[in-house]
Amino acid sequence: MINKIIAALVTVGGTGYVNYLVASQLNAIEPIGDKKTSQIAYCMVWSIVDFSVFLFYQGILTNHLRGNWLLIWSMLLTIITAFFLALLLTKPLQKIAYLFYNCILWVWRESKIEQGNVWKDFFSGRGKLEAYCYDLQHNPIGQGFLTTYSLEADKYDISLQPFTSKAKQPSFDEIVDMAQNEEYQEKQKIREYINYDKQIIIFTFE
């Protein structure tokens, strides 16, 4: 009996975290408030589903297995199922949730909300980018081709491949003039990202 209780707790707790990791990698989670609190809440909600899966496998396998083998196979199958459930369902569930959110907001004549955050939206789904980074005092802090950027919540790290040209980074005023130049705007997609908390300004040219 004790083994069953321990197995159930370990399986449900572990699979809840598996659900969280998969959803996080798919950008299907947007922490609200404290990250750890959001993580625990998310794991707890999924744990209800995982526990139902665990009981389901126990019911099926009880006619074929006994004792520890029953627990082992129930745990393994629950973990595998939890992984694929999160893989297949978290992104669609996020889209459905935002659809309902915006339906309610439309009824109340309020602006709709978009899934994801500004940081991810700024970089995602775009081609090769030239990035020019500055602090809020307009001092240059880096330039180059964007190679990778952080997807983790509250992390604002980027990796840049330096330009082959030896030219110095343009000043802030120069890059603003370039961004507002009609000829540049016709040839390239230009965007500006500002983060007051992290004290950074990024211009991208695609």
Side-chain angles (χ1 to χ4, degrees), residues 6-159:
I6 294 174
L9 291 174
V10 170
T11 303
V12 172
T15 51
Y17 193 68
V18 169
N19 300 134
Y20 175 82
L21 287 177
V22 173
S24 179
Q25 291 298 313
L26 294 175
N27 300 327
I29 296 179
E30 297 163 38
I32 300 174
D34 181 65
K35 179 183 176 182
K36 290 185 178 179
T37 302
S38 297
Q39 178 180 323
I40 292 171
Y42 192 89
C43 291
M44 288 180 64
V45 171
W46 269 102
S47 292
I48 297 172
V49 177
D50 297 332
F51 186 61
S52 300
V53 173
F54 179 76
L55 294 178
F56 172 76
Y57 282 126
Q58 282 240 306
I60 290 179
L61 297 175
T62 191
N63 295 325
H64 307 284
L65 300 170
R66 291 288 185 275
N68 291 336
W69 283 112
L70 175 61
L71 293 176
I72 291 171
W73 276 104
S74 298
M75 291 169 63
L76 290 175
L77 290 172
T78 300
I79 292 171
I80 294 171
T81 302
F83 174 81
F84 283 104
L85 281 176
L87 194 64
L88 296 174
L89 297 180
T90 49
K91 203 65 179 178
L93 286 174
Q94 183 193 36
K95 292 183 179 296
I96 292 171
Y98 272 88
L99 176 63
F100 282 112
Y101 294 156
N102 287 319
C103 285
I104 298 299
L105 291 171
W106 179 81
V107 170
W108 290 99
R109 297 183 180 180
E110 295 186 17
S111 300
K112 71 175 185 176
I113 55 176
E114 301 290 343
Q115 63 191 53
N117 61 38
V118 177
W119 176 258
K120 295 175 183 176
D121 178 67
F122 183 72
F123 293 118
S124 63
R126 305 180 65 195
K128 192 173 185 178
L129 297 179
E130 295 179 14
Y132 301 86
C133 308
Y134 303 84
D135 61 23
L136 291 190
Q137 286 71 47
H138 300 171
N139 298 310
I141 57 177
Q143 65 175 345
F145 293 109
L146 178 73
T147 55
T148 55
Y149 64 95
S150 175
L151 293 177
E152 187 176 351
D154 299 326
K155 296 290 185 181
Y156 299 90
D157 302 323
I158 60 174
S159 176

Side-chain angles (χ1 to χ4, degrees), residues 183-195:
E183 292 184 7
Y184 274 102
Q185 292 178 354
E186 290 176 358
K187 297 177 181 179
Q188 296 180 296
K189 293 181 181 178
I190 305 171
R191 298 179 73 182
E192 179 181 3
Y193 172 85
I194 304 174
N195 188 313

